[in-house]
Amino acid sequence: ISRGHKLKNNCDGEVLPHMYEEYGIDFITKLEGMYAVAIVDLKKHKLLLTRDRIGEKPLFYSINPEQFLYASTIPSLLSSRIVSKEIDLQSIAEFFTFRYVPHTNTILKSVKKVESGTIVVFDYETWTLSTRAYWKPQIIQPQIISEEKAIEDLQTLLFNSVKLRTETDRSLKLGSSLS
């Protein structure tokens, strides 16, 4: 059943604005895979930034009283010459302790990262930020199963994963419309 969305290209990124129109901010719960997404909602004066559940694709932002910038790398933000290069000593200490910088911090005081499985909403009319998690890993109690059952379950998971991705690639190549 077509919902009236027409796609012009064979690019999966073209689907995202249509999904946002259709489902609002909850469109993100329908995505799988690795991604970093930015959507501007001109009607609501909002910019949405989100990352995939595991955080494979990076996404950073910097905000000051006059600008809000975002990019997939810190050097890209620094190339604007607007973003301060002041080092965050607490983040450096955390890096040497944990071998990464936890949460939204980075080694720069003026740059934050969008956490995996979250959506950051920047309201550019009120100049405010809000963040919410859209996904958290489920804690599953381990079960003792036979080696045969483990192999069967793994084969099913791998088959379904490959099938999902090849069907998506095929439907995009055929120029399908969002339905």
Side-chain angles (χ1 to χ4, degrees):
I1 300 172
S2 177
R3 294 189 175 146
H5 298 281
K6 301 290 184 206
L7 302 180
K8 296 177 184 174
N9 300 307
N10 295 333
C11 172
D12 52 354
E14 186 181 8
V15 174
L16 298 175
H18 295 289
M19 289 182 70
Y20 178 72
E21 287 176 348
E22 193 72 30
Y23 303 107
I25 199 168
D26 290 330
F27 84 98
I28 201 67
T29 63
K30 301 182 181 317
L31 298 181
E32 290 187 10
M34 56 182 182
Y35 52 84
V37 176
I39 292 185
V40 177
D41 186 329
L42 296 173
K43 293 178 185 173
K44 295 181 181 177
H45 307 282
K46 295 185 187 320
L47 169 68
L48 290 76
L49 300 175
T50 189
R51 288 177 68 198
D52 57 84
R53 292 174 175 98
I54 304 301
E56 292 179 79
K57 295 291 183 177
L59 189 54
F60 301 93
Y61 64 91
S62 179
I63 185 171
N64 66 42
E66 297 175 2
Q67 290 105 4
F68 183 91
L69 293 90
Y70 66 93
S72 60
T73 66
I74 292 175
S76 296
L77 290 173
L78 291 174
S79 72
S80 71
R81 299 176 194 245
I82 297 169
V83 176
S84 168
K85 296 179 182 178
E86 184 180 357
I87 300 293
D88 182 350
L89 295 178
Q90 178 64 37
S91 292
I92 295 292
E94 289 171 342
F95 177 79
F96 285 122
T97 301
F98 306 120
R99 311 211 28 93
Y100 73 100
V101 180
H103 309 296
T104 62
N105 295 335
T106 69
I107 62 164
L108 299 178
K109 283 186 177 182
S110 61
V111 176
K112 301 294 180 192
K113 64 184 167 198
V114 177
E115 287 190 273
S116 57
T118 65
I119 187 161
V120 173
V121 179
F122 174 63
D123 185 319
Y124 53 86
E125 194 170 59
T126 62
W127 216 255
T128 56
L129 275 176
S130 62
T131 303
R132 80 166 209 209
Y134 69 85
W135 183 82
K136 294 268 187 212
Q138 293 179 342
I139 305 300
I140 300 172
Q141 295 299 321
Q143 298 176 355
I144 298 174
I145 59 174
S146 68
E147 182 179 353
E148 293 79 20
K149 174 71 171 140
I151 291 170
E152 180 184 320
D153 289 352
L154 179 61
Q155 287 175 333
T156 300
L157 287 169
L158 287 172
F159 176 81
N160 289 339
S161 178
V162 170
K163 182 179 177 192
L164 174 68
R165 276 132 189 100
T166 55
E167 285 176 354
T168 301
D169 290 346
R170 186 178 45 213
S171 67
L172 288 171
K173 288 178 181 152
L174 294 175
S176 66
S177 61
L178 181 64
S179 48

